[in-house]
Amino acid sequence: MLKNRDISGPEIRWDDFIRTDIALASGPVSRNSALDLHDEDPPNVLPPSAPQRAVVLVGMPGAGKTAIGRRLAARFGLPFRDADTEIESAAGMPITEIFARYGESHFRAGERRVITRLLAGPPLVLATGGGAFADPATRAAIKSSGAVTVWLKCELPTLLRRVAGREHRPMFLNADPAVVLQRLMTTRHPFYAEADLTVTCTDESPEVTTRRVQDAVEGAKPPQRLPVGLGDRAYDVVIGPGLLARAGGLIAPVLPARRVVVVSDASVAAIHLPALRAGLEVAGFHVLAEIAVPPGEGSKAFERLQDVLEQMLGAGLDRRTAVVALGGGVVGDLAGFAAAVAMRGVPFVQVPTTLLAQVDSSVGGKTGVNLRAGKNLAGAFHQPRIVLADTDTLATLPARELRAGYAEVAKHGLLQGPLWDWCETHGAAAVAGDIGALTHAVLESCRLKAAVVAADEREESVEGGRALLNLGHTFGHALEAEAGFDGTLLHGEAVAIGLGLAASISARLGHCSQEWPSRVIAHLTACGLPARIGDLDRRFTVEALMGRMAKDKKNRDGRMRFVLLRGPGDVFTSADVPAEAVTALLWDEGAVG
């Protein structure tokens, strides 16, 4: 224990008087750490396994962090610490005196050291002071420790009842507690929203709240995070359920300001915009504008781009305002291109809501619009700051959209190898809406694409690289463009046909066995996708398709380039594909003269 000493110098030296046992969660309890369970019987049986990481409780004064924390620690069989008590014990004076003598900034620095040391030890339950998680450095230290953070969220009336009798505390001296608490809620709630879990606390008993917190911690399944390694422009792809409701807390750490413009399409906005809006508002975001475009590929046009830009700028967008794309690949490409050119580039966030966008278009920074000459011929590389792939949104997709998105999963399977084996076994479950299969498809597709993008961001590799992600797309883009982007042929459907054609031309040129075209086509057909040109209701001429492919953006020196395969996991690019071989294939697969 700290002995009496002279600490009246110019500053507190926290490292001198932080006790060594503070870093050891299994060490002696502090004066406020003994379990006070006078109004609750200890549970007879502890959970079979306590959390393998610390649990940190954050929230307003009066939220019950200490009372709930003690009970929660007892239920988990973990030590409990109260950060404020540890600081007072270490400093030998109350926090109010530390504030008065040395100021808040010095207190926050010491608080951060105490919390960091506590979290460096074995797992424990830690109750923090009301301002701790609102401090950016302390918040970052808690997150980097790997602890699970829980916001005990209380409404103002509940807090007022709980802080009654605390008028002697400095924050309430000569002030209306309601005014003080409302001000603190306004400033702190946006930071509390970055916690991993939120548990709303009411006037129920502490035992009931503790059980709900315990259930939340035990049932929590952290979203998967896949890094896209691009140096100082690196970002995470976050995959999991319930991300729209947490959007503000997830994107705030990577943006320069809590100010956004949301771009969606009318269909998606009607379903998912309310949840996104609520998730942004709880984290203190100001939504300058919500811009909805018509659904479908037709919105990827210069005229629509100009309209979106005018609305953004008219709403007050500046260089610290982020553009949030909520929707499928069309919205992501359009909003991303708008973000790339508005004021020569503003921050960008992808919130894909379709399978196709989650597994492919939202990752990698390709943005653009279509021209009459072809698909995606005007655009820019503009990487997002983060991608939030909320798998709950997949449950709202029409069956046709889900199947179309699966075509990109099958493409990734052919690129990767083992994923193709998974596709043949589980693809039918994925297109039937099985959430486990869909989550796996998104995760593994993003894992593949993140690695490819990190190695060849701008598709500059002479051979292979990012160009391999275009397997089936030379044929598919030609079909889409010839269809006029009118919605009668979805991008994923065109890709599915393109995959069958890519496998077929590979076999005809002797690069793979004759087994693979039939195997690829059979799998896609079994998943409800068109796999041959002849499967479509409309007719396409060989001449028109060849003309479209001659203008493909992957071509070099006037020569068409194709992505070919020797087998799953063995894919390559080639310009040595005779035009007559492509023409013959198109004829055989259902194109007309």
Side-chain angles (χ1 to χ4, degrees):
M1 182 68 184
L2 181 73
K3 297 180 179 179
N4 294 332
R5 56 186 291 187
D6 179 11
I7 55 172
S8 59
E11 68 174 8
I12 297 176
R13 297 191 177 278
W14 294 88
D15 289 335
D16 290 343
F17 61 68
I18 294 177
R19 301 171 305 160
T20 56
D21 66 320
I22 287 178
L24 303 174
S26 59
V29 297
S30 73
R31 68 187 183 198
N32 195 37
S33 298
L35 292 174
D36 178 13
L37 299 176
H38 58 276
D39 57 350
E40 176 187 30
D41 293 327
N44 294 323
V45 181
L46 292 174
S49 60
Q52 298 303 302
R53 52 182 178 154
V55 179
V56 177
L57 303 181
V58 305
M60 291 284 292
K65 300 184 293 294
T66 298
I68 301 305
R70 287 175 177 165
R71 291 166 171 79
L72 188 66
R75 288 175 173 273
F76 284 146
L78 294 176
F80 170 74
R81 294 290 186 271
D82 182 291
D84 282 354
T85 299
E86 298 295 337
I87 292 168
E88 290 182 340
S89 182
M93 67 175 71
I95 287 174
T96 53
E97 186 174 347
I98 300 174
F99 264 78
R101 294 173 66 175
Y102 304 102
E104 181 175 5
S105 63
H106 197 75
F107 168 78
R108 294 298 175 200
E111 177 183 54
R112 182 166 60 256
R113 293 191 186 102
V114 169
I115 289 174
T116 300
R117 292 193 181 193
L118 286 166
L119 296 179
L124 79 164
V125 176
L126 175 65
T128 61
F133 206 63
D135 178 77
T138 302
R139 190 164 66 253
I142 293 173
K143 290 181 179 181
S144 66
S145 75
V148 57
T149 50
V150 183
W151 175 18
L152 302 183
K153 184 179 181 182
C154 291
E155 298 301 324
L156 181 59
T158 301
L159 292 176
L160 281 172
R161 285 189 289 272
R162 292 181 178 181
V163 302
R166 300 186 189 182
E167 290 80 1
H168 64 283
R169 295 186 64 170
M171 71 174 67
F172 297 125
L173 285 177
N174 303 315
D176 182 344
V179 174
V180 173
L181 288 172
Q182 186 61 66
R183 174 177 54 81
L184 290 176
M185 291 170 72
T186 300
T187 58
R188 292 178 178 178
H189 274 200
F191 304 111
Y192 296 157
E194 295 184 31
D196 299 312
L197 303 170
T198 299
V199 176
T200 300
C201 303
T202 64
D203 287 328
E204 64 195 11
S205 70
E207 294 82 6
V208 173
T209 301
T210 301
R211 292 189 190 102
R212 292 200 297 113
V213 174
Q214 179 184 359
D215 290 344
V217 172
E218 291 179 338
K221 294 182 179 180
Q224 298 277 352
R225 281 184 176 264
L226 294 175
V228 181
L230 294 171
D232 59 359
R233 292 175 297 104
Y235 57 93
D236 285 346
V237 181
V238 186
I239 303 165
L243 301 186
L244 291 182
R246 297 183 53 207
L250 290 167
I251 71 176
V254 300
L255 296 180
R258 296 183 187 235
R259 190 168 56 251
V260 299
V261 168
V262 178
V263 180
S264 187
D265 73 48
S267 297
V268 171
I271 302 171
H272 298 302
L273 185 54
L276 176 64
R277 185 189 299 124
L280 292 170
E281 289 177 354
V282 73
F285 274 83
H286 181 205
V287 180
L288 298 183
E290 297 171 349
I291 302 170
V293 301
E297 195 75 23
S299 283
K300 282 180 58 174
F302 264 119
E303 296 80 5
R304 188 64 59 188
L305 173 67
Q306 180 176 355
D307 180 59
V308 169
L309 288 169
E310 296 286 2
Q311 291 190 60
M312 285 180 177
L313 296 169
L317 176 137
D318 61 23
R319 286 181 175 172
R320 289 169 56 84
T321 302
V323 175
V324 177
L326 173 69
V330 169
V331 166
D333 284 359
L334 175 66
F337 194 18
V341 298
M343 296 187 171
R344 297 189 175 91
V346 298
F348 173 45
V349 173
Q350 284 270 25
V351 186
T353 61
T354 66
L355 181 59
L356 189 147
Q358 290 189 6
V359 302
D360 187 60
S361 62
S362 65
V363 181
K366 280 187 176 181
T367 71
V369 296
N370 303 325
L371 302 179
R372 284 191 295 272
K375 187 177 173 72
N376 296 329
L377 292 182
F381 287 96
H382 190 56
Q383 298 294 346
R385 296 293 182 92
I386 192 170
V387 179
L388 303 184
D390 187 336
T391 52
D392 284 343
T393 64
L394 301 180
T396 67
L397 285 179
R400 183 186 176 199
E401 291 279 357
L402 195 64
R403 292 194 297 268
Y406 179 77
E408 292 284 358
V409 180
K411 178 198 76 175
H412 292 144
L414 290 170
L415 292 174
Q416 194 244 24
L419 183 57
W420 174 256
D421 296 333
W422 180 91
C423 285
E424 290 191 307
T425 303
H426 301 284
V431 296
D434 181 272
I435 192 60
L438 288 170
T439 300
H440 182 84
V442 174
L443 180 64
E444 293 306 316
S445 291
C446 288
R447 194 189 310 278
L448 169 72
K449 188 160 187 183
V452 173
V453 169
D456 184 24
E457 179 186 4
R458 294 180 175 269
E459 206 169 304
E460 296 172 331
S461 176
V462 176
E463 295 295 336
R466 189 165 181 172
L468 296 178
L469 295 171
N470 289 298
L471 176 65
H473 283 57
T474 300
F475 292 108
H477 283 172
L479 289 165
E480 277 188 277
E482 192 58 21
F485 309 114
D486 61 2
T488 59
L489 179 65
L490 300 180
H491 173 70
E493 293 168 341
V495 168
I497 295 170
L499 292 176
L501 292 169
S504 295
I505 195 68
S506 298
R508 291 190 179 203
L509 296 176
H511 297 302
C512 68
S513 70
Q514 296 298 320
E515 167 198 7
W516 279 109
S518 58
R519 192 164 168 180
V520 170
I521 291 170
H523 176 63
L524 295 171
T525 301
C527 290
L529 285 160
R532 286 191 161 97
I533 298 174
D535 293 340
L536 301 176
D537 292 334
R538 65 192 303 163
R539 302 275 70 85
F540 296 86
T541 69
V542 172
E543 181 182 7
L545 293 177
M546 291 296 290
R548 295 286 185 182
M549 286 188 280
K551 297 176 182 177
D552 190 272
K553 62 183 182 297
K554 297 182 296 299
N555 295 345
R556 293 180 183 174
D557 301 323
R559 301 179 68 186
M560 288 191 296
R561 294 178 63 82
F562 290 85
V563 183
L564 307 176
L565 70 154
R566 301 183 183 93
D570 189 357
V571 182
F572 63 100
T573 57
S574 175
D576 296 324
V577 179
E580 55 271 23
V582 178
T583 298
L585 175 64
L586 294 175
W587 274 106
D588 293 343
E589 291 297 312
V592 297

